[in-house]
Amino acid sequence: MRHGLVAAVIATAVLGAGSAASAQEFPTKPVTIVVPFAAGGPTDTVTRLVAQSMTGTLGQQVIVENVGGAGGTLGAARVAKADPDGYTLLLHHIGQATSATLYRKLSYDPATDFMPIGIVADVPMTVVARKDFPAADMKALIEQAKAEGDVITYANAGIGSASHLCGMLLMQALDVPLTTVAYKGTAPAMNDLLGGQVDLMCDQTTNTTSQIKGGTIKVYAVTTPERLPSLPDVPTTVESGLPDVQVGVWHGLYAPAGTDAAVVARLEEALQAAVTDPNVTQRLAELGATPATAETATPAALEQLVTSEIARWRPVIEAAGQYAD
Ligand code: ASP
């Protein structure tokens, strides 16, 4: 009995030392960041920029894997259930907080099944339409929506996505239910908007800025209180008479709950290097996004944000009464 106990204590000490040593050496193989939306979209764009910079800092390849579907909850579930060894991470957005209310039967808990690493960036949204959509401005769009209702189609990335949230606020403000078309991310939705198969969408500036500047889509408003330096001619939703349609999309990086603190610290260090890397900050600024700072790319800041955003959106979603299940 006594020997057994001593052996167990020794084994625990050896194993403990082993995992501490491997945490110090982390990473010794490529790290995967799961993006819970399709490739080529706004969350993917931010993630690839950050992953490239983190590859340099960590000395190991940081690979992006797109696991789209169910408004981002399929990709999030994948990471919640992954080994907590730091090699499978999640880069998600505001949906990490809204899905807690929108999905009454989630297979994971967005607040407790993840170890926050840090905030990545803030990205505004834009209300956009196919190029030949008749309404010339927001006033005309409101009139057209009231006249045509669900003849107008609205693209989103599924329930729980930022485009869903923005569309929900837009339809509430207009008091008109549009016909929703769900995609696995707003990259395929943008393809259909460009092809004229769908009429309207809200999407992050990281996906719409080049198209707006190139004149390939129409823009009605930005969903921020102030105009954006990157799109100075585009009015805000407040200016356009829709003050309740305000959504700021924030992105965060997470590991599964139970990841070793030393591994999280190493990832946090690499994230902080990424959000202050001029290659990342310059490109994000061109796309209308604001990177996190060394102070906000931290576990404490992201944990606090997730908690406060779950509390902020819960009553809004409950008032809309739109659930995924
Ligand atoms: N912009 C998408 C959303 O509406 C997600 C994406 O494809 O990045 O949430």
Side-chain angles (χ1 to χ4, degrees):
M1 175 74 188
R2 202 146 171 247
H3 278 127
L5 187 62
V6 170
V9 169
I10 292 171
T12 307
V14 169
L15 281 175
S19 73
S22 58
Q24 296 309 321
E25 286 155 17
F26 175 87
T28 56
K29 59 178 187 180
V31 172
T32 297
I33 302 184
V34 171
V35 169
F37 298 106
T43 308
D44 184 71
T45 297
V46 169
T47 307
R48 282 175 201 271
L49 279 169
V50 166
Q52 198 176 0
S53 178
M54 287 178 74
T55 295
T57 308
L58 294 172
Q60 284 289 342
Q61 200 68 34
V62 178
I63 298 161
V64 176
E65 187 185 344
N66 300 88
V67 182
T73 57
L74 294 186
R78 162 88 70 93
V79 178
K81 292 170 177 46
D83 279 346
D85 56 8
Y87 289 99
T88 309
L89 310 176
L90 173 72
L91 202 149
H92 202 345
H93 63 21
I94 188 170
Q96 181 75 334
T98 55
S99 59
T101 306
L102 285 163
Y103 288 79
R104 286 173 292 195
K105 286 186 214 114
L106 267 189
S107 65
Y108 62 93
D109 185 334
T112 57
D113 285 347
F114 297 89
M115 199 101 163
I117 297 169
I119 300 173
V120 177
D122 283 323
V123 190
M125 296 196 95
T126 42
V127 183
V128 295
R130 62 179 161 84
K131 193 181 170 189
D132 53 358
F133 191 69
D137 53 22
M138 184 61 93
K139 188 168 171 286
L141 171 62
I142 295 170
E143 280 162 19
Q144 192 181 336
K146 289 199 184 290
E148 294 180 7
D150 61 8
V151 169
I152 298 172
T153 50
Y154 176 87
N156 73 18
I159 293 186
S161 64
S163 43
H164 163 254
L165 189 63
C166 183
M168 192 176 81
L169 296 179
L170 186 67
M171 289 178 223
Q172 257 179 350
L174 298 175
D175 199 19
V176 176
L178 309 173
T179 296
T180 300
V181 186
Y183 295 82
K184 285 190 173 176
T186 42
M190 177 62 83
N191 284 342
D192 275 7
L193 199 72
L194 291 168
Q197 285 93 348
V198 70
D199 298 320
L200 280 181
M201 138 165 113
C202 284
D203 202 12
Q204 286 112 290
T205 54
T206 29
N207 203 31
T208 58
T209 301
S210 318
Q211 305 294 354
I212 292 168
K213 290 194 166 160
T216 50
I217 57 175
K218 243 179 203 174
V219 61
Y220 297 113
V222 293
T223 64
T224 41
E226 307 291 334
R227 289 193 184 205
L228 305 177
S230 52
L231 292 169
D233 300 333
V234 181
T236 65
T237 41
V238 181
E239 285 174 68
S240 314
L242 297 176
D244 293 336
V245 186
Q246 289 200 48
V247 189
V249 178
W250 47 270
H251 291 281
L253 184 65
Y254 309 80
T259 306
D260 190 290
V263 169
V264 173
R266 183 83 183 106
L267 291 165
E268 179 191 355
E269 187 182 69
L271 176 63
Q272 289 178 358
V275 297
T276 50
D277 176 345
N279 292 327
V280 175
T281 55
Q282 208 173 317
R283 185 66 190 135
L284 285 180
E286 285 164 8
L287 296 175
T290 309
T293 61
E295 288 72 42
T296 58
T298 61
L302 180 56
E303 184 168 12
Q304 206 241 322
L305 184 61
V306 171
T307 309
S308 64
E309 287 281 279
I310 289 176
R312 174 180 165 213
W313 288 104
R314 179 156 288 151
V316 178
I317 294 164
E318 284 175 351
Q322 281 187 22
Y323 298 100
D325 41 43

